[in-house]
Amino acid sequence: MEILSQLWSLLGLLTVLQNVLPSQLLSLLHSLYESLQDLLSPYSYLDIPEFNGYCGVELNDLYRHVTLYLNAVDPSATTCRRLTLTRSKSSTRFSFAVAPNHSVRDVFAGHTLSWTHHVDAVPDSLEERRSFVLKLPKRHRQALLSPYLDHVISRAEEFERVSRERRLFTNNGHGSYDSGWVSVPFRHPSTFETLALEPQLKKQITDDLTAFANGKDFYHRVGRAWKRGYLLYGPPGSGKSSLIAAIANYLCYDVYDLELTKVSDNSELRALLIQTTNRSIIVIEDIDCSVDLTADRASKPRKRSQPSVNGHDDDEHSGRVTLSGLLNFTDGLWSCCGEERIIVFTTNHKVNVDPALLRCGRMDVHVSLGACGPAAFRSLVKNYLGLESHALMEVADSCVRSGGALTPAQIGEILLRNRGDADVAMREVVAAMQARILGGRSRDQVKDNQYCEVEAAMAAVAPRSPESVLLRGSPENWESSPGKKRKIKFLVRLRSLTKSDSGRRGV
């Protein structure tokens, strides 16, 4: 009781002194107390406010990084007693945040640090003043502070890249204004696990993408813009769009689908490029069909022989996208206005693309997509039917090796409509492959309109090897070698193999 009475007396004395002593003297005593406390404490404290300066207008980017970092380390698994749990309408993930005036401990380089989230009410206002306070050992402050903050920023940016909602953009025909793009959420389910690609090709693409995403320091050191160009070419239904979606999901990038027919001229094309964000994929599909670029070179000698009236080149005032504008878009000065961008071109016929676009620096990686090889076919069967093996799998592999391979779209359609009966699905696939070897069609194929359309498109494409090949390097190495000619005598052996295999396994 005596101790309590003495404490009350001390509190009363402090209250009287606070009312009697001048405010300047009280402020000085408070500063002396804080200095003495800092001198005796083994820790240093660093404030990171939500806004820069005293005006409270400019956001502090470090505050945002700390918020993302604390969410990335999963505060629910730490000793924090209270967390704030949120979820936005457009996200499928939950977000954690440290509750006001609570702390989270962290370990870096063998030292224990802590983050405290301070929220103070502003007098005579409904606003709040937020800040994070970093507590770290005073003796190791110089050695810890800089590398730890670099670690926080790096981890926060990685978490933001993976967790944010990805968007699919398309140009609306008004690229010269503030926003030439409109967007919707990008939720395409295609991944490299579901793609019908040969394992070697899949590994080559993922390795190249990983090296690009981690190559910031390398690109800056060699003096190159941090971008990468891809050309995807092959017949319709070979999986070009699915591969683009898989790349976007693999890197967690936004996708900008550029429709060149909506772009009026080169100036609008540059405006659209400026409005794209970092960590994005710019897609130009059917580059040989969207605009007539080859006419620029064909008409240039004729235009040079005829002087213009006003002394200017007609291409500059033609009111359309020219080959020169597209080249500057991909590899000119304007192409370096952003970082970590991938430009993807697609075409059904590579020979129709202008050679100036094909060179390295514009289309760095050439990916040839065609019919399914054995491994890609097995991947489709596993995805659609859930089968690791089947009695007709070896027969289908023989058909593939003999020139009867189909595109992923063709095989996927057959497996889709017969997904309830795996035996029927496999028999139809083998029958379609046999018909392709003969160069004809079965009656069942003629009944299906959608399948006939895909087959008609494939008939216009020259026969090629079913193996998909990643082509890179110098232009003379980009063309694939012609496939070996198959003898029609194989069909007789195939039929006997099918009958014997069906009788032996009861198919």
Side-chain angles (χ1 to χ4, degrees), residues 10-244:
L10 180 60
L11 291 176
L13 178 61
L14 292 176
T15 304
V16 172
L17 291 176
Q18 186 175 4
N19 295 329
V20 172
L21 295 176
S23 58
Q24 294 83 354
L25 182 57
L26 289 176
S27 178
L28 179 60
L29 292 176
H30 181 72
S31 300
L32 292 175
Y33 172 75
E34 292 288 342
S35 300
L36 182 61
Q37 187 179 18
D38 292 341
L39 182 62
L40 298 177
S41 174
Y43 297 100
S44 292
Y45 298 87
L46 302 173
D47 291 335
I48 302 176
E50 184 179 8
F51 296 94
N52 294 328
Y54 297 98
C55 300
V57 177
E58 182 183 0
L59 290 173
N60 185 358
D61 197 48
L62 185 56
Y63 180 90
R64 182 180 65 87
H65 281 128
V66 172
T67 304
L68 292 171
Y69 172 75
L70 293 180
N71 199 71
V73 298
D74 192 6
S76 60
T78 62
T79 57
C80 185
R81 295 184 295 107
R82 188 173 182 179
L83 299 170
T84 301
L85 188 64
T86 58
R87 177 183 174 182
S88 62
K89 294 182 179 180
S90 58
S91 177
T92 58
R93 303 185 58 170
F94 296 99
S95 298
F96 294 96
V98 181
N101 302 318
H102 284 71
S103 300
V104 172
R105 287 191 298 179
D106 192 16
V107 177
F108 179 77
H111 299 279
T112 301
L113 308 90
S114 68
W115 291 97
T116 303
H117 189 202
H118 283 297
V119 178
D120 301 323
V122 179
D124 302 329
S125 176
L126 297 177
E127 297 181 357
E128 295 178 333
R129 186 180 292 109
R130 300 178 180 88
S131 65
F132 282 104
V133 177
L134 173 61
K135 174 184 173 182
L136 71 164
K138 183 183 298 184
R139 290 189 304 172
H140 306 282
R141 173 177 173 176
Q142 296 296 330
L144 283 178
L145 183 58
S146 181
Y148 179 66
L149 291 181
D150 292 340
H151 167 72
V152 169
I153 294 174
S154 176
R155 183 77 179 274
E157 290 179 347
E158 177 66 19
F159 177 79
E160 184 180 29
R161 182 180 68 86
V162 174
S163 62
R164 68 184 178 89
E165 181 190 44
R166 292 182 293 280
R167 309 288 297 180
L168 174 62
F169 295 83
T170 185
N171 51 313
N172 55 18
H174 302 286
S176 59
Y177 298 100
D178 292 337
S179 179
W181 301 94
V182 293
S183 67
V184 295
F186 180 77
R187 295 168 182 166
H188 200 289
S190 178
T191 63
F192 279 100
E193 286 73 21
T194 61
L195 276 181
L197 292 178
E198 295 303 304
Q200 182 180 3
L201 173 64
K202 190 180 300 185
K203 184 177 185 304
Q204 288 176 335
I205 296 176
T206 53
D207 290 346
D208 187 78
L209 294 172
T210 303
F212 168 77
N214 298 331
K216 180 179 181 179
D217 295 336
F218 171 79
Y219 278 87
H220 288 181
R221 179 170 57 84
V222 299
R224 290 189 56 169
W226 192 11
K227 64 180 183 64
R228 193 78 166 147
Y230 277 77
L231 172 64
L232 312 182
Y233 66 97
S238 55
K240 295 184 289 293
S241 298
S242 298
L243 178 55
I244 294 172

Side-chain angles (χ1 to χ4, degrees), residues 386-500:
L387 298 177
E388 294 286 349
S389 61
H390 191 270
L392 293 179
M393 194 72 74
E394 295 180 2
V395 179
D397 291 345
S398 299
C399 290
V400 170
R401 290 191 293 268
S402 301
L406 305 175
T407 64
Q410 292 173 307
I411 297 176
E413 173 59 27
I414 298 175
L415 299 180
L416 178 64
R417 66 170 179 254
N418 297 289
R419 60 187 181 275
D421 193 332
D423 294 333
V424 173
M426 291 297 297
R427 283 199 295 268
E428 283 204 22
V429 170
V430 171
M433 291 180 176
Q434 292 174 349
R436 181 165 181 78
I437 295 176
L438 282 176
R441 298 185 180 92
S442 64
R443 294 181 180 179
D444 293 337
Q445 291 173 323
V446 177
K447 292 180 181 179
D448 184 43
N449 294 331
Q450 182 177 3
Y451 186 79
C452 287
E453 292 175 359
V454 179
E455 182 68 21
M458 282 296 300
V461 181
R464 51 159 293 145
S465 171
E467 299 290 336
S468 298
V469 182
L470 178 66
L471 302 175
R472 63 175 85 201
S474 58
E476 60 270 14
N477 296 328
W478 285 344
E479 296 297 339
S480 58
S481 59
K484 296 181 179 179
K485 296 181 179 180
R486 304 296 179 180
K487 295 182 179 180
I488 199 64
K489 294 181 180 180
F490 169 78
L491 185 60
V492 179
R493 183 173 61 86
L494 178 64
R495 288 177 177 174
S496 61
L497 178 62
T498 305
K499 291 180 181 180
S500 61

Side-chain angles (χ1 to χ4, degrees), residues 284-466:
I284 303 178
E285 294 191 285
D286 297 325
I287 184 62
D288 57 324
C289 302
S290 53
V291 291
D292 187 12
L293 299 175
T294 57
D296 296 340
R297 292 183 180 272
S299 61
K300 188 163 291 187
R302 179 180 55 84
K303 289 183 178 181
R304 287 179 179 175
S305 62
Q306 300 177 359
S308 59
V309 177
N310 54 7
H312 297 284
D313 193 357
D314 293 339
D315 283 347
E316 297 296 331
H317 304 280
S318 59
R320 65 181 179 88
V321 177
T322 63
L323 177 62
S324 175
L326 189 60
L327 294 178
N328 290 329
F329 177 86
T330 56
D331 194 32
L333 293 176
W334 289 97
S335 65
C336 60
C337 62
E339 288 190 332
E340 201 170 353
R341 287 190 179 128
I342 293 178
I343 304 178
V344 179
F345 297 89
T346 69
T347 180
N348 295 336
H349 308 285
K350 179 183 175 183
V351 293
N352 295 338
V353 181
D354 194 284
L357 280 170
L358 292 175
R359 74 164 178 81
C360 293
R362 290 163 183 164
M363 297 181 182
D364 304 290
V365 181
H366 295 203
V367 182
S368 175
L369 299 174
C372 285
F377 173 72
R378 292 175 182 271
S379 176
L380 285 175
V381 172
K382 181 180 179 180
N383 291 337
Y384 281 86
L385 305 179
L387 298 177
E388 294 286 349
S389 61
H390 191 270
L392 293 179
M393 194 72 74
E394 295 180 2
V395 179
D397 291 345
S398 299
C399 290
V400 170
R401 290 191 293 268
S402 301
L406 305 175
T407 64
Q410 292 173 307
I411 297 176
E413 173 59 27
I414 298 175
L415 299 180
L416 178 64
R417 66 170 179 254
N418 297 289
R419 60 187 181 275
D421 193 332
D423 294 333
V424 173
M426 291 297 297
R427 283 199 295 268
E428 283 204 22
V429 170
V430 171
M433 291 180 176
Q434 292 174 349
R436 181 165 181 78
I437 295 176
L438 282 176
R441 298 185 180 92
S442 64
R443 294 181 180 179
D444 293 337
Q445 291 173 323
V446 177
K447 292 180 181 179
D448 184 43
N449 294 331
Q450 182 177 3
Y451 186 79
C452 287
E453 292 175 359
V454 179
E455 182 68 21
M458 282 296 300
V461 181
R464 51 159 293 145
S465 171

